[in-house]
Amino acid sequence: MKIIQSVRWTDDGLGVRIIDQRLLPARLVERELRSLDDVTDAIRTLAVRGAPAIGIAGAMGLVAVLAPNAKQRRDTLLADARNAADAIRATRPTAVNLSWALERVLARASQADGDSAATIAAMRREATAILDEDREMCRRIGEHGVSLLRDGTRVLTHCNAGALATGGIGTALAPIYVAAERGITVEVFVDESRPLLQGSRLTAWELTRAGIPVTVLTDGMAASLMRERGIDLCVVGADRIAANGDVANKIGTYGLAIAARYHDVPFVVAAPTSTLDPSTKTGEEIIIEERGADEVRCIGGVATAPAGVDAYNPAFDVTPASLVSTIITDVGVHRPPYNFVSARTS
Ligand code: MRU
């Protein structure tokens, strides 16, 4: 199966190579990130996006930014690393994976023995481990989640929680990829996911490329699809899961969960343990990123609303745990009541 790799090291090992997701599905273009501006711009503008992928790109990007500083004094390097990490962290506040990954690399830097070159080498090993571990976590999510799928299961997903959003085969899409590997044929539907169309542009693109048929609908059609044609399962990803199981994910997830409950459709969230945030007690504490009005007023640069009209544009919403039937992580299948007291337990 042709699974895309969204983030990797450049051939010289000094930069980060990403797929520029803003250009999909029209063009598959890779971009190299080497400076702090490259990294912050790519994450802020969603050239690289999806909670695990921005964690990986942030961690690797931090190393790339510091790579030229191997001859610096070590205390200066550590101060520069903290400042660069602050700038990267500030780009997108909702996905916990970004700050989690940056903290891992910073902790490794401060524990490292030796000079700046040795410290940068240790940071690079940590960032690579974050990428490799994410790939493995995606695979395990797929293996736990495939138990929910049978031949003919009709699955509805939202946004893109696939290979483009992670270091591996995705989170919400991982069970679908594993099912395909095992010859289980599921029917996949995806909301286009306005305003930035990650569902139609990215999920439909990567599934089609992998040879998995998918049907696209606009967000407002999901409830009607459940009533008129039937959906067996909704599966979505997450940007942050609070200790009580409240889930922040792409705007529209909450409405989908309400529609799913009304139609008795199980609502499943798939996420790696790096997306669990035990320090956030409930969804009320999660900071929701607000984005620019033009994302709502335009599609693909073409105005779809009067210039200057007010627009509401939260990038994410919070689905209360009471609407979530199951949370699949790399460590297993969790059912209510959720109590994520540490990132490795339920
Ligand atoms: O704004 P985006 O495209 O970064 O939002 C992505 C999502 O909401 C995904 O569902 C989530 O990050 C999980 S990706 C495995």
Side-chain angles (χ1 to χ4, degrees):
M1 202 175 308
K2 274 166 64 182
I3 310 262
I4 200 89
Q5 199 178 346
S6 61
V7 187
R8 58 194 164 104
W9 293 111
T10 53
D11 292 342
D12 64 7
L14 298 175
V16 185
R17 185 180 277 260
I18 59 155
I19 291 175
D20 189 338
Q21 300 189 33
R22 297 168 302 186
L23 304 177
L24 289 171
R27 287 192 296 142
L28 176 55
V29 174
E30 287 190 316
R31 220 178 119 194
E32 292 192 355
L33 316 179
R34 292 178 185 271
S35 69
L36 184 57
D37 277 354
D38 291 345
V39 175
T40 53
D41 180 70
I43 298 176
R44 189 180 302 111
T45 63
L46 276 58
V48 58
R49 37 103 2 238
I54 61 175
I56 295 163
M60 291 169 60
L62 179 61
V63 177
V65 169
L66 295 169
N69 300 11
K71 297 221 164 73
Q72 231 178 10
R73 281 172 50 127
R74 187 163 179 278
D75 52 354
T76 312
L77 177 85
L78 293 180
D80 285 356
R82 281 192 294 274
N83 290 337
D86 286 348
I88 297 170
R89 188 186 294 109
T91 54
R92 299 205 74 192
T94 303
V96 69
N97 305 64
L98 181 56
S99 50
W100 169 86
L102 290 166
E103 286 312 318
R104 268 184 66 164
V105 176
L106 288 177
R108 177 55 73 98
S110 55
Q111 288 153 10
D113 290 326
D115 60 8
S116 289
T119 302
I120 293 168
M123 294 169 79
R124 179 185 307 280
R125 285 194 297 277
E126 191 68 20
T128 304
I130 289 169
L131 170 62
D132 292 344
E133 287 168 25
D134 190 69
R135 186 179 303 119
E136 283 162 28
M137 288 193 286
C138 289
R139 171 58 56 183
R140 286 200 288 271
I141 290 169
E143 280 162 8
H144 290 302
V146 75
S147 62
L148 303 175
L149 304 177
R150 307 273 176 276
D151 262 332
T153 302
R154 291 162 67 81
V155 183
L156 173 59
T157 187
H158 187 70
C159 190
N160 173 263
L164 285 167
T166 65
I169 58 171
T171 60
L173 298 192
I176 293 169
Y177 282 122
V178 172
E181 283 169 7
R182 296 185 184 174
I184 300 168
T185 309
V186 298
E187 271 191 74
V188 186
F189 297 82
V190 62
D191 297 336
E192 68 178 354
S193 314
R194 268 288 279 153
L196 296 179
L197 307 173
Q198 289 93 329
S200 52
R201 290 192 306 105
L202 307 178
T203 295
W205 180 82
E206 70 163 83
L207 288 178
T208 303
R209 189 172 180 276
I212 298 174
V214 53
T215 301
V216 174
L217 51 142
T218 68
D219 301 7
M221 296 171 185
S224 165
L225 175 70
M226 289 177 197
R227 193 182 63 191
E228 301 299 328
R229 304 246 183 113
I231 284 292
D232 299 308
L233 202 66
C234 289
V235 187
V236 301
D239 286 81
R240 190 182 294 248
I241 301 177
N244 72 340
D246 290 349
V247 174
N249 191 48
K250 179 51 53 195
I251 190 73
T253 302
Y254 173 43
L256 193 65
I258 292 171
R261 173 60 52 91
Y262 186 81
H263 293 94
D264 275 331
V265 177
F267 195 82
V268 177
V269 173
T273 40
S274 52
T275 301
L276 301 178
D277 183 8
S279 69
T280 294
K281 288 193 190 64
T282 75
E284 279 180 31
E285 294 173 25
I286 299 176
I287 295 169
I288 299 293
E289 175 187 356
E290 294 268 349
R291 296 185 62 87
D294 277 344
E295 290 183 354
V296 174
R297 292 191 293 230
C298 305
I299 300 183
V302 177
T304 55
V309 72
D310 282 345
Y312 172 62
N313 191 18
F316 303 98
D317 56 27
V318 174
T319 299
S322 58
L323 294 177
V324 179
S325 343
T326 308
I327 296 178
I328 303 169
T329 69
D330 43 291
V331 297
V333 175
H334 314 264
R335 300 202 190 269
Y338 305 108
N339 183 18
F340 296 110
V341 290
S342 92
R344 307 301 300 179
T345 59
S346 54

